[in-house]
Amino acid sequence: MRITKNTIETTPGPPEWFTGAAYIDAIATPTGPSRLSANSVHFTPGARTAWHTHPNGQTIYVTEGVGLVQGRGAPIEVVRPGDRVFFEPGEDHWHGAAPTRFMTHLSMVEVDGKGNSATWGAHVVDDEYRAAPSIDEARR
Ligand code: MN
């Protein structure tokens, strides 16, 4: 058993992976035979990941705020606390906060045999991000 006290610094999301300010708190890191990598990711309003894929897919679970998710070629979807999204292995996608709201989600992935959790692509440009539906119209 290993207790990790709440002393690990929050890490700013690297600018090559994110547009806007996002912050990452580690929950689980691969160790021994475990391939689980889990993080709590905090997006400020308007912040989002770049386009990317995960070798073994990803589950996100929204815990706070209002978020946006999009798979390549599909419309942007609005997600709220309690919603979870599974991105298929290799599915090109992004996730982030709505323009006027913070969003926090838990992220759970299994890294590949080389320890890679994601392959990163282009940033989500403003024209792509602005295609999001109004979060009021999307309320349900
Ligand atoms: Mn992802």
Side-chain angles (χ1 to χ4, degrees):
M1 185 175 86
R2 174 153 34 105
I3 295 176
T4 301
K5 294 289 188 178
N6 187 5
T7 55
I8 296 177
E9 290 187 3
T10 294
T11 305
E16 59 269 37
W17 299 353
F18 292 88
T19 297
Y23 298 89
I24 302 168
D25 287 317
I27 297 172
T29 53
T31 181
S34 172
R35 293 189 172 188
L36 174 64
S37 174
N39 293 287
S40 180
V41 187
H42 314 271
F43 296 84
T44 59
R48 66 271 189 181
T49 69
W51 288 98
H52 63 284
T53 63
H54 302 283
N56 294 311
Q58 177 187 36
T59 293
I60 63 169
Y61 179 81
V62 180
T63 58
E64 293 182 21
V66 181
L68 303 173
V69 300
Q70 184 178 30
R72 183 70 75 179
I76 298 173
E77 303 277 355
V78 177
V79 290
R80 295 176 184 279
D83 293 345
R84 66 185 166 119
V85 182
F86 178 68
F87 301 101
E88 297 283 348
E91 181 181 7
D92 200 20
H93 70 281
W94 62 269
H95 28 107
T100 57
R101 297 295 300 271
F102 286 82
M103 189 274 280
T104 298
H105 68 53
L106 305 183
S107 163
M108 290 150 279
V109 303
E110 291 177 275
V111 300
D112 67 14
K114 295 177 179 172
N116 297 319
S117 62
T119 299
W120 294 92
H123 283 87
V124 175
V125 298
D126 288 346
D127 278 352
E128 292 174 301
Y129 184 75
R130 275 196 291 262
S134 157
I135 62 173
D136 295 322
E137 290 170 14
R139 185 178 291 279
R140 62 189 186 279

